[in-house]
């Protein structure tokens, strides 16, 4: 069967008689999802439709395989870490071999240290938040965050249908193919629920579907990381593949650029939240399948890369945050 599979073209249609195998063998490969047929066999037409959709989107095949194989569904990563004992440094050291020490490097030139200014102080306060308070976010703060991080400051359309957006973060090809989907739990004047943010009009569109049990949906989004799930606003960063792949067709670097786009947006969100006295987080430990379902996304056309969140911190740290400089939590000792 393996040798038979090797005789079938991955890019052009062939008559089954020209493949060198029997009809029964070809049907077996079709049922395993390894071969696509023009005729529907045993209700497997969804395989052909997905293949057509994938090709139309102009995916680089290896990137598509990577994206598909890395998706999670109903994973509770926090519970898994507790069960495996890897939720603490001591547990990690017990369950794993000691890390390989980094080789020492001898410096050739030492650079002068700068006098810290306001931006340096901002960077030092930029700490991942795991302690969100139950306070509702002021609507003005929410709106400013969305405008700073995700809105389009300019839109150019040099040809019909070809649109370039300018945001406060860079994007591969200037396409800004990352769309923003929100789970809003606590924002004053805004009905809790699921939304899509529209960057050109700086507006929200409510997503049809499950609007109840938001706390449960929030926990599903971040794979059980309860320290993130309490954020007043959670943001799913979803790459619209066709928008980028229209130019970068079957390109080996296109998917990497989309991942970088989400990274840029998340760090602009961090800086903006820190500047406004709020906390923020970003995580790739997410249940893509559940996020796609709640927002009605097709994973072949839109893929969730990461989830961010922001809101006010609690007054006291109950869950450890990595703040070695004691900038955010100066009262914490040891």
């Amino acid at each position: 069967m393996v040798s038979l599979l090797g005789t079938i073209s991955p890019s052009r249609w062939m008559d089954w008689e020209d493949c060198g195998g029997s009809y029964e063998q070809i049907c077996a490969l079709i049922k395993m999802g390894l071969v696509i047929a023009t005729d529907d066999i045993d209700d497997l037409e969804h395989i052909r439709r997905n293949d057509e959709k994938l090709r139309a989107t102009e995916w680089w095949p290896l990137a598509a395989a990577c994206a598909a194989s890395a998706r999670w569904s109903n994973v509770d990563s926090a519970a898994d870490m507790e069960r495996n004992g890897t939720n603490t440094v001591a547990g990690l050291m017990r369950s794993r071999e000691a890390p390989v020490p980094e080789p020492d490097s001898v410096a050739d030139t030492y650079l002068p240290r700068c006098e810290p200014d306001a931006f340096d102080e901002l960077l030092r306060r930029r700490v991942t938040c795991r302690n969100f308070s139950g306070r509702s976010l002021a609507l003005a703060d929410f709106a400013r965050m969305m405008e700073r991080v995700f809105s389009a400051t300019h839109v150019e359309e040099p040809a019909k249908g070809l649109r370039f957006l300018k945001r406060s973060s860079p994007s591969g090809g200037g396409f800004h193919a990352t769309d923003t989907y929100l789970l809003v739990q606590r924002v004053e004047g805004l009905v809790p629920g699921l939304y899509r943010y529209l960057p050109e009009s700086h507006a929200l569109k409510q997503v049809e579907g499950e609007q109840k049990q938001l706390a449960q949906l929030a926990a599903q989004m971040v794979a059980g990381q309860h320290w993130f799930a309490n954020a007043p606003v959670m943001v799913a960063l979803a790459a619209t593949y066709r928008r980028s792949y229209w130019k970068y067709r079957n390109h080996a670097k296109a998917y990497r650029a989309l991942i970088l786009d989400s990274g840029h947006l998340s760090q602009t969100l961090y800086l903006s939240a820190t500047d406004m006295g709020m906390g923020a987080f970003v995580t790739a430990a997410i249940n893509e399948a559940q996020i796609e379902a709640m927002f009605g996304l097709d994973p072949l056309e839109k893929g969730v890369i990461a989830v961010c969140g922001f809101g006010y911190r609690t007054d006291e740290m109950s869950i450890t945050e990595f703040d070695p400089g004691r900038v955010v939590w100066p009262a914490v000792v040891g």
Side-chain angles (χ1 to χ4, degrees):
M1 295 288 279
V2 174
S3 59
L4 172 59
L5 188 62
T7 67
I8 301 174
S9 171
S11 57
R12 62 180 179 84
W13 293 109
M14 300 174 61
D15 292 330
W16 73 265
E17 294 94 339
D18 298 332
C19 298
S22 67
Y23 181 77
E24 288 73 18
Q25 289 175 317
I26 298 296
C27 288
L29 290 174
I30 293 171
K31 291 177 181 179
M32 286 187 282
L34 299 175
V35 170
I36 307 297
T38 56
D39 296 328
D40 296 337
I41 297 177
D42 292 342
D43 298 323
L44 297 177
E45 66 273 10
H46 65 281
I47 297 177
R48 188 184 71 251
R49 289 199 303 269
N50 286 342
D51 180 75
E52 291 169 348
K53 190 179 298 181
L54 191 70
R55 292 175 188 272
T57 306
E58 304 289 354
W59 271 92
W60 185 53
L62 292 179
C66 175
S69 61
R71 291 169 68 250
W72 281 3
S73 178
N74 288 318
V75 172
D76 190 328
S77 61
D80 289 343
M81 287 190 295
E82 291 178 7
R83 185 166 46 252
N84 299 330
T86 56
N87 57 330
T88 64
V89 172
L92 280 170
M93 295 302 292
R94 283 194 301 269
S95 63
R96 287 162 168 72
E97 297 177 357
V100 178
E102 296 289 337
D104 292 331
S105 298
V106 179
D108 295 317
T109 304
Y110 289 90
L111 302 175
R113 294 284 184 177
C114 64
E115 283 295 323
D117 59 15
F119 187 67
D120 295 305
E121 294 301 325
L122 175 68
L123 292 176
R124 289 171 183 172
R125 298 198 312 273
R126 179 204 162 281
V127 175
T128 295
C129 181
R130 292 179 174 82
N131 295 272
F132 290 100
S133 78
R135 280 178 61 196
S136 294
L137 200 61
L139 181 60
D141 288 346
F142 168 74
R144 173 167 286 200
M145 279 288 296
M146 297 305 296
E147 186 171 15
R148 277 182 167 185
V149 182
F150 300 112
S151 72
T153 58
H154 295 86
V155 180
E156 297 288 342
E157 190 168 2
K160 185 174 177 57
L162 178 59
R163 297 170 68 81
F164 295 96
L165 297 162
K166 180 70 176 70
R167 275 175 168 169
S168 56
S169 299
S171 174
F175 290 110
H176 283 284
T178 304
D179 290 326
T180 307
Y181 294 85
L182 305 174
L183 187 152
V184 174
Q185 300 192 91
R186 297 183 303 281
V187 174
E188 295 173 358
L190 197 58
V191 176
L194 306 177
Y195 295 87
R196 179 179 175 181
Y197 177 69
L198 308 177
E200 296 184 32
S201 56
H202 183 47
L204 300 176
K205 179 178 177 58
Q206 195 158 25
V207 175
E208 295 181 2
E210 179 62 67
Q211 303 289 331
K212 300 178 181 179
Q213 303 297 327
L214 289 182
Q216 181 180 350
L217 294 178
Q220 285 183 330
M221 285 181 69
V222 292
Q225 299 174 90
H226 53 86
W227 48 89
F228 292 150
N230 191 41
V233 179
M234 299 176 67
V235 184
L237 302 177
T240 302
Y241 300 123
R242 190 185 300 274
R243 199 181 304 158
S244 173
Y245 296 171
W246 174 84
K247 176 180 179 181
Y248 302 116
R249 302 186 179 193
N250 291 287
H251 199 296
K253 301 294 185 183
Y255 185 61
R256 182 182 297 186
L258 290 175
I259 295 174
L260 287 171
D261 284 1
S262 287
H264 297 319
L265 289 167
S266 73
Q267 295 314 298
T268 302
L269 181 143
Y270 261 77
L271 288 176
S272 180
T274 304
D275 177 64
M276 295 174 63
M278 292 188 284
F281 77 85
V282 61
T283 181
I286 58 177
N287 280 313
E288 290 92 338
Q290 279 66 54
I291 298 172
E292 292 156 3
M294 68 177 73
F295 289 108
L297 308 180
D298 185 328
L300 293 177
E301 297 179 341
K302 284 180 180 281
V304 183
I305 305 295
V307 170
C308 309
F310 58 91
Y312 307 128
R313 274 189 168 87
T314 56
D315 294 330
E316 296 181 2
M317 181 174 65
S318 59
I319 300 176
T320 302
E321 293 182 11
F322 189 60
D323 180 27
R326 305 304 182 206
V327 176
V328 176
W329 303 100
V332 176
V333 179

